[in-house]
């Protein structure tokens, strides 16, 4: 297989016969695509999709294997997605209307840019990279595993940010910036959640004061929760731990 489709235009509403929701996408998209290899081992050197006004841009490259068998695996070392917040809200509303508060939070980001690598299959997904917005940047290393037989799904990852303006994001003048490092390792089976959450706040602004040196550890075991909180600010010192049956 060797195919090239450079600088094409595609209208998503042309495919409304497959999904009526696509009829809401009226503006055409610029599309470039190349693929080579065999059906069970495809290499995609370029896949680009976006709008001419640059309000939406998707650029990925990588490999897809496992076709036509039901063993699909994908790996995209280059995964780059950018969009204005207004474009994200418009796209989301095409599928399901967003609540006003949620739409406002997205709008406060101004623009969102994902840059990293992604991979996935029917039983797993992984993303390593950054999420950049006007209110701050996030570094993410996240993975998920899905087990259809046991219906137990696991999620793990690390998230960090050096200076994220939470107040601007939420539209709350009492809140300011924060620097956070967090690790999550949880499992979800039905409505039962168990696992651990560990976070370290280098600083957190609240009502004009910057609180420093905060850490929290939480562990969940289905109906039981245990937690520890430490605040080592020069004006506030808290050491607390407790347990709760849910």
């Amino acid at each position: 297989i060797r195919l090239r489709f450079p600088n094409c235009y595609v209208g998503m509403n042309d495919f409304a016969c497959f999904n009526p929701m696509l009829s809401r996408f009226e503006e055409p998209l610029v599309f470039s695509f190349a693929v080579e290899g065999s059906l069970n081992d495809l290499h995609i050197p370029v896949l680009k999709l976006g709008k001419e006004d640059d309000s939406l841009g998707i650029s990925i490259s990588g490999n897809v294997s496992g076709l036509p068998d039901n063993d699909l695996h994908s790996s995209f070392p280059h995964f780059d997605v950018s969009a204005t917040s207004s474009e994200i809200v418009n796209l989301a509303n095409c599928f399901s209307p967003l609540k006003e508060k949620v739409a406002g939070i997205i709008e406060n980001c101004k623009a969102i840019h994902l840059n990293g690598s992604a991979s996935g299959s029917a039983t797993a997904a992984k993303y390593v990279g950054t999420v950049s917005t006007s209110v701050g940047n996030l570094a993410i290393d996240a993975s998920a595993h899905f087990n259809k037989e046991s219906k137990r799904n696991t999620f793990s990852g690390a998230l960090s940010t050096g200076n994220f303006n939470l107040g601007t994001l939420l539209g709350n003048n009492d809140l300011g910036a924060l620097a956070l490092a967090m690790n999550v390792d949880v499992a979800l089976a039905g409505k039962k959640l168990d696992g651990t959450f560990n976070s370290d706040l280098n600083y957190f602004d609240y009502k004009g004061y910057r609180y420093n040196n905060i850490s929290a550890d939480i562990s969940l075991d289905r109906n039981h929760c245990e937690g520890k909180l430490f605040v080592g600010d020069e004006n506030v010192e808290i050491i607390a731990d407790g347990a709760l049956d849910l």
Side-chain angles (χ1 to χ4, degrees), residues 139-173:
I140 299 175
D141 184 344
S143 61
H145 292 83
F146 314 104
N147 191 317
K148 293 182 179 180
E149 294 182 0
S150 67
K151 296 182 179 180
R152 179 180 172 84
N153 303 318
T154 61
F155 307 89
S156 62
L159 180 150
S160 64
T161 179
N163 185 38
F164 193 89
N165 198 315
L166 187 63
T168 300
L169 177 69
L170 300 179
N172 188 327
N173 293 329

Side-chain angles (χ1 to χ4, degrees), residues 150-221:
S150 67
K151 296 182 179 180
R152 179 180 172 84
N153 303 318
T154 61
F155 307 89
S156 62
L159 180 150
S160 64
T161 179
N163 185 38
F164 193 89
N165 198 315
L166 187 63
T168 300
L169 177 69
L170 300 179
N172 188 327
N173 293 329
D174 289 337
L175 303 176
L178 61 81
L180 167 72
M182 180 172 65
N183 290 280
V184 177
D185 188 0
V186 298
L188 180 65
K191 295 183 179 180
K192 300 295 185 180
L193 181 68
D194 61 77
T196 59
F197 300 82
N198 309 107
S199 63
D200 290 301
L201 274 167
N202 189 28
Y203 63 80
F204 173 65
D205 296 339
Y206 181 68
K207 288 191 173 182
Y209 181 80
R210 174 160 289 185
Y211 295 87
N212 295 280
N213 194 20
I214 304 169
S215 64
D217 299 313
I218 299 173
S219 62
L220 295 171
D221 185 6

Side-chain angles (χ1 to χ4, degrees), residues 75-191:
S75 175
F76 298 102
H78 170 70
F79 184 88
D80 190 282
V81 178
S82 61
T84 63
S85 55
S86 296
E87 186 65 34
I88 294 172
V89 170
N90 291 336
L91 287 172
N93 283 330
C94 286
F95 293 98
S96 179
L98 292 176
K99 292 184 178 180
E100 184 177 351
K101 187 174 183 179
V102 174
I105 290 174
I106 296 174
E107 291 282 5
N108 290 338
C109 292
K110 305 301 182 185
I112 298 176
H113 180 205
L114 282 73
N115 181 261
S117 63
S119 60
S121 67
T123 59
K126 184 176 180 63
Y127 174 76
V128 179
T130 60
V131 179
S132 304
T133 75
S134 65
V135 297
N137 303 327
L138 301 171
I140 299 175
D141 184 344
S143 61
H145 292 83
F146 314 104
N147 191 317
K148 293 182 179 180
E149 294 182 0
S150 67
K151 296 182 179 180
R152 179 180 172 84
N153 303 318
T154 61
F155 307 89
S156 62
L159 180 150
S160 64
T161 179
N163 185 38
F164 193 89
N165 198 315
L166 187 63
T168 300
L169 177 69
L170 300 179
N172 188 327
N173 293 329
D174 289 337
L175 303 176
L178 61 81
L180 167 72
M182 180 172 65
N183 290 280
V184 177
D185 188 0
V186 298
L188 180 65
K191 295 183 179 180

